[in-house]
Amino acid sequence: MAYSTLNLETIIAYVRNHEQSAQYLNPNSDLEVQEIGDGNLNLVWRVFERENRSRSILLKQGLPYLRAAGESWPLSPDRARFEAQALELQHRFASGLIPKPYWFDADMLVNAMEDLTEHQVLRRPMMAGHQFVGLGETIGKFCAKVLFGTSDFAMRPDEKRDLQSQFRNSELCKITEDLIFTEPYMNQAWHGLEIRNRFNPIIEADVTHMQHDSDLKAQVAALKYRFMTHAEALIHGDLHTGSIMARVGTAPDETPDIRVIDPEFAFFGPIGFDLGAFIANLFLSSASHLAHSKTVEARAAYRSYLYDQARACWQAFTTEFMTQFAATNSPSWTSQDFQAMFLRDVLRDLTGFAGAKMIRRIVGFAHVADLEGIANLEHRAHCEAKALELGRKLIMHHSRINQFEDVIDLALEILPVDTQ
Amino acid sequence: MAYSTLNLETIIAYVRNHEQSAQYLNPNSDLEVQEIGDGNLNLVWRVFERENRSRSILLKQGLPYLRAAGESWPLSPDRARFEAQALELQHRFASGLIPKPYWFDADMLVNAMEDLTEHQVLRRPMMAGHQFVGLGETIGKFCAKVLFGTSDFAMRPDEKRDLQSQFRNSELCKITEDLIFTEPYMNQAWHGLEIRNRFNPIIEADVTHMQHDSDLKAQVAALKYRFMTHAEALIHGDLHTGSIMARVGTAPDETPDIRVIDPEFAFFGPIGFDLGAFIANLFLSSASHLAHSKTVEARAAYRSYLYDQARACWQAFTTEFMTQFAATNSPSWTSQDFQAMFLRDVLRDLTGFAGAKMIRRIVGFAHVADLEGIANLEHRAHCEAKALELGRKLIMHHSRINQFEDVIDLALEILPVDTQ
């Protein structure tokens, strides 16, 4: 079947005709469809039985352009294949921590998967101060399982190289290279390179200052180079709090079911990148709670929660990694001194990447609702300036970090729990 | 045409029938063939006109097994394609510093190229104390041109990723991973892994001591991990003094024509690896001249020459790299602080890799004639113990090296110019 964009009229016929759908839905029942896409790159629908709404599937179709920018920003729909392959590998190593993949239709660029009807994306509940028990631990474990499983510690080198060449996700890598590591640090066009920065005009002086900070720019170039050359494992590539879902309505002390979604940026990159993205988002949330929390006490409590999640993430990551290291058969990786050096390097990388991820959300093209959602521009600027400062500190200190508490200390210096 | 091994009987007909040969030879003339292969992986012939021996071509055919080990070590003949692709890229960025490639026959796995009749491989003349003017400078320049040209500093990321996936040279990478980074550090079989170490029995105590040195083994594991994951540029992969030829009969003060050959190990790896291999071979030569030099004065002169070549190599490499950096259009790489950090990291990598390359030639499967050629086992052991000690030092110090002279200082400590 040739590619065509599905719509509310055609999607049910598509599902009924797809042979694998009968495993998940009764194709002869009355089916309903609901469009739920809010992503940048895809159309997303839920198709369910009218009589039994819990019997449903989620379908995601790749668009040939970046939705946020309209058809003026064309994108190869190959990324639907990258997402399918990434879901398959993530499911192999961390099943239960992503939506279960059902099928991939290479002609129609449709990924069908488990529909998480009781889950919601974390970002907005986090703006409202909701605490998800076990969040950091789950993400740390997810990262460790997928990253170890697809690394040279677990895979045969030829198998890894073959996978790596399947994941030549150049187009989406270029988005990261440009929007995270290049454009935020430029205040004027350069040899025809378009600069798509957007920022709150109130922080313009901070932004300009940052764009002239040559020490910072050298460190960011080094991080970009590592992103482009360190092919360590299959990274998610966009692991922010908008790429994580949790089941709502769980009792407050119960760990909710947490899932990582949307791996279309996946490729073989540096192991610290996903951890850095997640921790950057915790710190952006911390900055935004200067505005979102109604009281000093509420803010203190939420920041404590966020920093605990960051700690738990690193703790769970290292615990899982060490467990898997202990089971390796390769004589090279059994050295405990090597393992400690390796984890220290991941920690340094994650710190630098976290800083770059924070800065791009304030100065670059794509922002986060945590900060964009603060209506008062002065309040917003206050939060943004703090986040920018922390981002810079993380980058400037990253190569000297020796333990995770050093990262938390940097956050506490600028976004403390109990004062301001 | 289906693959078949060429031989002295069939090669002339093969050349006459190949349409491109007429550019280099008169196919109607009387042709002669000479087998000159002494490599491990290939058959190599020179085909020339009987009446005009300077009109000649070199043909190299891939064998489906490792020649040194016989048919018991099968190898995919894919490496003939890797060599063809590597020659093409090296020729693009550093023409004149390799034999000019003429054609690649994918069916017969034949690479035809310029025949360097007046050149000889460096290793044996170096054992005899011959000084090649400009050696270090040429190799430094060769490395810089090819490595910069195939790096993210010069290539579009998608172009580099496509090339990288063409160079999935897993089989030859595995030889490096096993023979350089794994087996020399093991003194017994491990989970079915075969250990192919060979060493002079007189140094057994040194070898055993090294194989129990957990600090060293942790650093070697880190180097191996970098070799496997840092996909920076198209490295030659086996740049020892047996992979370099120079025209003999040049006047003593004239720079001889120097060419790098045999890139079948090429793949996208760490930029410091080739420089490390070359410098390791200079240092191995230095160690071997404890025996090869007839007098203390001759040894002092040769060691001075070798260390000067090492310095000139790094100097030429950095000069060429900085020149190319200065011409880059990418805003990320223009930061001089970044460039300095990058070159410092290359220097550290090359130091570590040089150490690993030295050790493998003494303890591992494949040795070098510089040391194997010392008939007296006691004298040989003395040289080998020194080389082993320097290899260890280079590895243990590599992450703290800040300037190239630090590397020379380590060499001078163990293999001084003017004493012993």
Side-chain angles (χ1 to χ4, degrees), chain A residues 224-240:
Chain A
K224 178 178 177 177
Y225 189 67
R226 266 177 270 165
F227 177 80
M228 296 176 83
T229 58
H230 289 196
E232 296 186 78
L234 184 74
I235 68 173
H236 178 282
D238 195 28
L239 189 47
H240 53 74

Side-chain angles (χ1 to χ4, degrees), chain A residues 31-262:
Chain A
L31 295 180
E32 259 189 58
V33 59
Q34 183 187 2
E35 185 166 357
I36 54 171
D38 64 347
N40 260 331
L41 308 166
N42 308 287
L43 300 168
V44 188
W45 302 273
R46 164 177 295 154
V47 175
F48 53 92
E49 298 181 9
R50 191 182 301 253
E51 304 297 317
N52 182 358
R53 291 173 158 253
S54 70
R55 286 179 57 90
S56 67
I57 59 178
L58 185 115
L59 291 108
K60 192 167 167 183
Q61 184 178 37
L63 282 171
Y65 49 84
L66 188 72
R67 210 183 191 194
E71 304 197 10
S72 65
W73 190 330
L75 269 184
S76 151
D78 274 354
R79 71 184 179 286
R81 178 175 64 81
F82 294 127
E83 175 159 15
Q85 290 173 335
L87 285 169
E88 190 190 314
L89 279 164
Q90 291 173 343
H91 183 67
R92 192 200 308 175
F93 295 110
S95 69
L97 300 180
I98 62 159
K100 187 165 191 271
Y102 291 164
W103 75 76
F104 172 57
D105 179 337
D107 297 320
M108 291 294 282
L109 301 171
V110 167
N111 274 294
M113 67 193 82
E114 183 181 5
D115 181 25
L116 304 169
T117 51
E118 295 175 357
H119 291 64
Q120 74 185 71
V121 165
L122 297 195
R123 195 177 297 283
R124 290 187 184 273
M126 285 177 70
M127 288 163 63
H130 189 87
Q131 299 188 8
F132 295 92
V133 178
L135 171 61
E137 189 186 339
T138 304
I139 299 303
K141 197 178 288 182
F142 167 80
C143 288
K145 282 173 181 284
V146 176
L147 295 169
F148 194 99
T150 57
S151 74
D152 283 300
F153 304 133
M155 281 203 167
R156 279 206 329 271
D158 56 331
E159 187 189 359
K160 181 182 163 229
R161 280 196 196 94
D162 287 348
L163 276 177
Q164 201 178 331
S165 74
Q166 284 172 34
F167 278 98
R168 267 177 291 159
N169 199 347
S170 294
E171 211 168 41
L172 271 69
C173 285
K174 182 166 164 40
I175 293 179
T176 303
E177 289 151 22
D178 291 347
L179 294 187
I180 298 183
F181 295 112
T182 312
E183 297 177 20
Y185 304 91
M186 299 178 65
N187 59 4
Q188 53 188 27
W190 170 285
H191 291 276
L193 189 72
E194 197 188 349
I195 311 296
R196 291 156 293 191
N197 294 338
R198 299 185 297 121
F199 48 83
N200 184 343
I202 300 172
I203 60 162
E204 182 161 12
D206 303 75
V207 172
T208 307
H209 185 260
M210 185 197 80
Q211 288 169 337
H212 288 88
D213 182 339
S214 59
D215 292 340
L216 181 69
K217 288 163 83 163
Q219 293 294 333
V220 171
L223 288 164
K224 178 178 177 177
Y225 189 67
R226 266 177 270 165
F227 177 80
M228 296 176 83
T229 58
H230 289 196
E232 296 186 78
L234 184 74
I235 68 173
H236 178 282
D238 195 28
L239 189 47
H240 53 74
T241 43
S243 296
I244 305 170
M245 297 184 91
R247 187 189 281 132
V248 289
T250 312
D253 56 343
E254 204 184 321
T255 304
D257 183 65
I258 292 170
R259 310 285 187 107
V260 173
I261 61 169
D262 289 350

Side-chain angles (χ1 to χ4, degrees), chain A residues 151-153 155 157-165 167-171 173-174 177 181-182 186 190-191 193 214-215 217-219 221-225 227-233 267 271 328-335 337-338 341-342, chain B residues 151-153 155 157-165 167-171 173-174 177 181-182 186 190-191 193 214-215 217-219 221-225 227-233 267 271 328-335 337-338 341-342:
Chain A
S151 74
D152 283 300
F153 304 133
M155 281 203 167
D158 56 331
E159 187 189 359
K160 181 182 163 229
R161 280 196 196 94
D162 287 348
L163 276 177
Q164 201 178 331
S165 74
F167 278 98
R168 267 177 291 159
N169 199 347
S170 294
E171 211 168 41
C173 285
K174 182 166 164 40
E177 289 151 22
F181 295 112
T182 312
M186 299 178 65
W190 170 285
H191 291 276
L193 189 72
S214 59
D215 292 340
K217 288 163 83 163
Q219 293 294 333
L223 288 164
K224 178 178 177 177
Y225 189 67
F227 177 80
M228 296 176 83
T229 58
H230 289 196
E232 296 186 78
F267 81 112
I271 285 182
T328 179
N329 265 345
S330 164
S332 297
W333 317 132
T334 53
S335 153
D337 290 337
F338 166 72
M341 269 195 291
F342 167 80
Chain B
S151 75
D152 283 301
F153 304 133
M155 281 204 166
D158 55 331
E159 188 187 358
K160 181 181 164 231
R161 279 195 198 92
D162 287 349
L163 277 177
Q164 200 179 332
S165 75
F167 279 97
R168 267 178 291 156
N169 200 349
S170 295
E171 212 169 39
C173 285
K174 183 166 164 37
E177 290 151 19
F181 295 112
T182 310
M186 298 176 67
W190 171 284
H191 290 276
L193 190 71
S214 60
D215 291 341
K217 288 163 82 163
Q219 293 294 333
L223 288 164
K224 178 178 178 178
Y225 189 67
F227 177 81
M228 296 177 83
T229 59
H230 289 196
E232 295 187 81
F267 81 110
I271 285 182
T328 178
N329 265 344
S330 163
S332 297
W333 318 131
T334 53
S335 154
D337 290 336
F338 166 71
M341 269 195 291
F342 167 79

Side-chain angles (χ1 to χ4, degrees), chain B residues 288-399:
Chain B
S288 76
H289 272 269
L290 276 170
H292 294 310
S293 284
K294 299 277 184 283
T295 64
V296 172
E297 293 70 27
R299 192 178 70 220
Y302 205 67
R303 284 191 172 162
S304 289
Y305 160 75
L306 292 169
Y307 300 154
D308 283 346
Q309 299 315 302
R311 291 183 182 104
C313 174
W314 178 248
Q315 182 61 49
F317 175 82
T318 53
T319 302
E320 178 69 29
F321 232 83
M322 295 302 286
T323 304
Q324 300 221 24
F325 263 141
T328 178
N329 265 344
S330 163
S332 297
W333 318 131
T334 53
S335 154
Q336 291 184 1
D337 290 336
F338 166 71
Q339 294 170 7
M341 269 195 291
F342 167 79
L343 287 171
R344 188 206 58 197
D345 288 347
V346 171
L347 174 59
R348 291 177 177 178
D349 274 7
L350 89 78
T351 307
F353 289 132
K357 286 279 201 175
M358 292 186 75
I359 291 174
R360 66 81 61 113
R361 293 298 187 190
I362 313 218
V363 180
F365 174 72
H367 288 212
V368 286
D370 311 61
L371 294 163
E372 296 287 283
I374 303 168
N376 180 314
L377 282 190
E378 288 288 350
H379 292 175
R380 192 176 132 192
H382 184 57
C383 300
E384 290 171 325
K386 293 280 179 192
L388 215 51
E389 194 186 341
L390 177 52
R392 183 185 187 281
K393 276 231 155 110
L394 292 168
I395 293 173
M396 292 311 293
H397 286 77
H398 84 276
S399 62

Side-chain angles (χ1 to χ4, degrees), chain B residues 49-50 66 72 74 80 115 125 256 279 290 333 340 342 376 389 415:
Chain B
E49 298 181 9
R50 191 183 302 250
L66 187 73
S72 66
D115 181 24
I279 284 159
L290 276 170
W333 318 131
F342 167 79
N376 180 314
E389 194 186 341
L415 303 168

